Amino acid sequence: QVQLVESGRGLVQAGGSLRLSCAASLNSFSLTTIAWYRQAPGKQRELVAASRGGTTNYVDSVKGRFTISRDNAKNTVYLQMTSLKPEDTAVYYCNALYYSLNYWGKGTLVTVSS
C-alpha cells in the first residue's frame, strides 16, 4: 500500500524559510511523479510544485522562492520554501501519481505570520 508521510510543519515569520519532507513507501520511486499541493482556508487545493525524473514545475506564485527536490535513495521528496509570505499559509500535501492513481499524504500545516 502506498503511504506518503509529510513532515516539517511550522510557524514562521514572513521572509523566513522552511523545508517540508515527504517520505514515500512505494516501488519505482525514481520513476514516480511526486508533487506538493496546498490548500489555504476557504480556497481550493492548488498544485505548488512537481517533480518527475529530472523535470520540475512550479506554480507562478512560488517560482524563484520554492524548490522541489528528491532523494531517490531515501524515497523522499523535499520542498524548500524561502522568502515566505503570509499568503503561503496553507496545509501542504504530498501527492504521488503511481500507476495512474493519485495518492495523498495527510498534510502538514505551514503558517506564515506577517
Side-chain angles (χ1 to χ4, degrees):
Q1 184 175 353
V2 175
Q3 287 189 322
L4 303 172
V5 180
E6 302 101 335
S7 60
R9 64 180 291 163
L11 169 63
V12 297
Q13 290 187 331
S17 299
L18 195 64
R19 189 178 79 160
L20 305 181
S21 300
C22 171
S25 61
L26 51 81
N27 296 322
S28 305
F29 177 81
S30 64
L31 303 178
T32 300
T33 299
I34 305 291
W36 286 97
Y37 286 72
R38 67 185 178 187
Q39 187 166 18
K43 295 188 176 182
Q44 289 188 330
R45 191 173 297 188
E46 67 168 349
L47 175 64
V48 175
S51 169
R52 180 178 182 179
T55 301
T56 57
N57 294 286
Y58 301 91
V59 67
D60 285 346
S61 61
V62 307
K63 285 181 180 178
R65 300 190 298 121
F66 290 11
T67 302
I68 187 170
S69 61
R70 59 199 299 161
D71 185 336
N72 291 330
K74 296 182 178 179
N75 275 27
T76 300
V77 172
Y78 305 97
L79 185 67
Q80 179 68 50
M81 304 183 293
T82 64
S83 302
L84 282 161
K85 304 175 181 180
E87 51 264 43
D88 295 319
T89 294
V91 177
Y92 285 71
Y93 296 91
C94 183
N95 169 274
L97 180 60
Y98 188 62
Y99 287 96
S100 300
L101 295 177
N102 272 301
Y103 295 89
W104 296 91
K106 293 183 179 180
T108 187
L109 177 62
V110 173
T111 304
V112 184
S113 62
S114 57

